[in-house]
């Protein structure tokens, strides 16, 4: 019969609940850091199983932010990809400068070899499928190009994969023997490949040296958003390429290197302005945290993107909460 490890925080000391949940998550997935998003009692549970070469886990939790930072990447013993399938509630997944909002049934991919962040704004339930890198690449030519792209479950193959995974997990926990379950892995991976087949990012020509360079550039930018001297010239020097080649790598993207840096800084500032942990800090201090060195410039570009000044944005969002 199926072997499922389960862990619940019911009955634990309230001060230890988040720590225990964090420790269990690290054991089953990859090294992580997490913060509670709300100051209230924290509850949650994890049930997981190894199914052939894959792993599958159901995770329940309340509001929190989960981070797989650079220090965690360095401690990751393997390099799986994770498919995150939202079962209840909502979540936001951030990697490589993208943000994927998932609602019930939606899914996205996550690469454990690079930093990422998950935000849960309320009670939620998620199914996490762990796939070894080498196995996934037999079905998707360039999985690193597909991270944090929201795959809506409204119709088509995405809907089929979403329902198949949820039903499979339910049946596995009830009565399915491990050898039979392992044989289903092929069907899961084929459905996954079909779901991503129509995305331009999945084509083999994206698994080129240029793609690898672009991912390295994005990782460097994400790790240095707080540096006011983060310019294309500095990025090119750090990544050992010419500034001309750096701009060429972004020439087929929707935004230039400079616009990408500005967008990511503004998104980071908007989250900090809404964070309860940052409530006592000034708008200027938060702007300086993310590389802005002029409050006037920050206010102007923030309003251009969000339609309100930083103070108005903070006040309006707080009033609506």
């Amino acid at each position: 019969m199926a072997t499922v490890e389960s862990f619940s925080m019911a009955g634990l000391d309230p001060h230890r609940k988040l720590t225990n949940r964090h420790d269990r998550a690290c054991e089953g997935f990859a090294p992580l850091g997490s913060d509670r998003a709300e100051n209230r009692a924290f509850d949650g549970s994890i049930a997981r199983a190894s199914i052939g070469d894959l792993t599958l886990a159901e995770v329940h939790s309340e509001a929190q932010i989960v981070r797989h930072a650079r220090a965690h990447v360095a401690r990751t013993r393997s390099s799986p990809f994770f498919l995150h399938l939202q079962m209840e509630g909502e979540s936001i997944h951030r990697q490589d400068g993208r943000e994927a909002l998932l609602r019930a049934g939606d899914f996205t991919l996550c690469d454990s070899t690079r930093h990422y962040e998950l935000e849960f704004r309320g009670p939620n339930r998620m199914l996490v499928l762990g796939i070894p890198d080498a196995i996934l690449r037999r079905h998707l030519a360039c999985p690193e190009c597909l991270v944090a792209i929201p795959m809506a479950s409204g119709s088509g193959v995405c809907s089929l994969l979403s329902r198949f995974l949820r039903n499979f997990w339910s049946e596995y926990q009830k009565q399915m023997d491990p050898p039979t379950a392992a044989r289903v892995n092929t069907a899961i991976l084929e459905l996954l490949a079909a779901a991503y087949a129509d995305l331009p990012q999945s084509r083999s020509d994206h698994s080129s040296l240029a793609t690898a360079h672009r991912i390295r550039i994005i990782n460097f930018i994400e790790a240095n958003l707080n540096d006011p001297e983060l310019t294309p010239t500095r990025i090119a020097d750090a990544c050992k390429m010419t500034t001309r080649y750096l701009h060429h790598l972004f020439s087929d993207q929707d935004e230039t290197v400079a616009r990408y840096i500005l967008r990511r800084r503004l998104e980071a500032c908007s989250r900090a302005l809404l964070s309860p942990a940052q409530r006592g800090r000034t708008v200027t201090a938060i702007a300086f945290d993310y590389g802005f060195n002029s409050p006037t410039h920050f206010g102007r570009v923030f309003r251009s993107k969000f339609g309100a000044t930083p103070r108005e944005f903070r006040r309006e969002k707080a009033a609506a909460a």
Side-chain angles (χ1 to χ4, degrees):
M1 296 296 291
T3 301
V4 178
E5 293 181 275
S6 298
F7 174 75
S8 173
M9 279 162 285
L12 291 179
D13 183 318
H15 299 291
R16 290 287 300 163
K17 285 183 177 181
L18 183 59
T19 301
N20 276 270
R21 191 265 186 197
H22 163 75
D23 292 343
R24 294 289 178 164
C26 292
E27 290 172 10
F29 307 117
L32 300 167
S34 56
D35 300 321
R36 280 173 51 182
E38 299 178 7
N39 293 317
R40 55 181 174 143
F42 184 91
D43 289 297
S45 63
I46 298 173
R48 60 173 177 257
S50 295
I51 305 171
D53 294 319
L54 310 185
T55 60
L56 196 56
E58 181 179 344
V59 182
H60 295 245
S61 72
E62 296 187 13
Q64 65 171 309
I65 296 174
V66 176
R67 298 183 182 89
H68 182 61
R70 294 178 72 190
H72 301 126
V73 172
R75 300 204 310 271
T76 302
R77 290 170 297 192
S78 59
S79 55
F81 280 80
F82 295 113
L83 184 141
H84 295 152
L85 192 159
Q86 195 71 33
M87 299 178 75
E88 295 176 1
E90 294 183 357
S91 60
I92 299 174
H93 301 240
R94 303 183 179 101
Q95 189 167 38
D96 289 358
R98 297 186 185 129
E99 291 194 357
L101 170 62
L102 302 188
R103 296 185 173 91
D106 301 344
F107 60 89
T108 194
L109 275 176
C110 173
D111 183 356
S112 68
T113 66
R114 308 199 301 282
H115 60 274
Y116 60 82
E117 180 178 286
L118 313 179
E119 181 177 352
F120 305 102
R121 294 178 175 173
N124 68 91
R125 188 161 62 103
M126 178 174 286
L127 200 59
V128 181
L129 176 68
I131 312 170
D133 179 275
I135 291 176
L136 185 58
R137 290 184 189 279
R138 297 172 197 163
H139 300 267
L140 294 175
C142 190
E144 61 269 22
C145 300
L146 302 171
V147 300
I149 294 176
M151 304 296 282
S153 64
S155 61
V157 181
C158 290
S159 175
L160 184 59
L161 173 60
S162 179
R163 287 185 284 112
F164 186 89
L165 268 177
R166 285 178 285 177
N167 290 338
F168 170 66
W169 176 239
S170 177
E171 291 301 317
Y172 179 79
Q173 294 179 91
K174 288 190 292 186
Q175 59 188 11
M176 192 175 293
D177 62 275
T180 299
R183 287 194 287 271
V184 177
N185 286 354
T186 300
I188 293 173
L189 293 168
E190 290 294 338
L191 281 172
L192 178 62
Y196 281 98
D198 291 335
L199 294 183
Q201 296 93 328
S202 69
R203 296 170 189 161
S204 59
D205 58 354
H206 281 265
S207 57
S208 62
L209 183 61
T211 297
H213 283 323
R214 192 181 299 120
I215 289 173
R216 187 156 55 95
I217 291 165
I218 289 173
N219 282 331
F220 182 81
I221 293 172
E222 294 293 322
N224 292 277
L225 282 176
N226 62 336
D227 183 358
E229 302 301 321
L230 185 65
T231 62
T233 300
R234 176 158 183 264
I235 296 166
D237 289 343
C239 294
K240 296 180 170 49
M241 62 182 66
T242 65
T243 305
R244 181 176 180 180
Y245 183 58
L246 173 74
H247 289 300
H248 169 73
L249 290 171
F250 275 73
S251 62
D252 62 346
Q253 305 297 300
D254 294 334
E255 55 194 352
T256 64
V257 179
R259 295 299 301 176
Y260 176 89
I261 294 170
L262 178 61
R263 174 175 65 82
R264 294 297 296 137
R265 282 175 166 165
L266 289 171
E267 289 171 349
C269 286
S270 71
R271 292 195 298 273
L273 287 168
L274 302 181
S275 170
Q278 302 283 324
R279 195 167 290 151
R281 304 191 67 230
T282 67
V283 168
T284 299
I286 289 173
F288 284 1
D289 282 348
Y290 291 97
F292 291 99
N293 50 25
S294 166
T296 302
H297 171 67
F298 172 63
R300 184 170 62 251
V301 295
F302 190 96
R303 181 165 191 161
S304 177
K305 179 171 177 61
F306 294 103
T309 67
R311 288 179 179 82
E312 291 169 346
F313 178 85
R314 187 183 230 177
R315 184 169 58 249
E316 289 169 4
K317 296 294 183 180

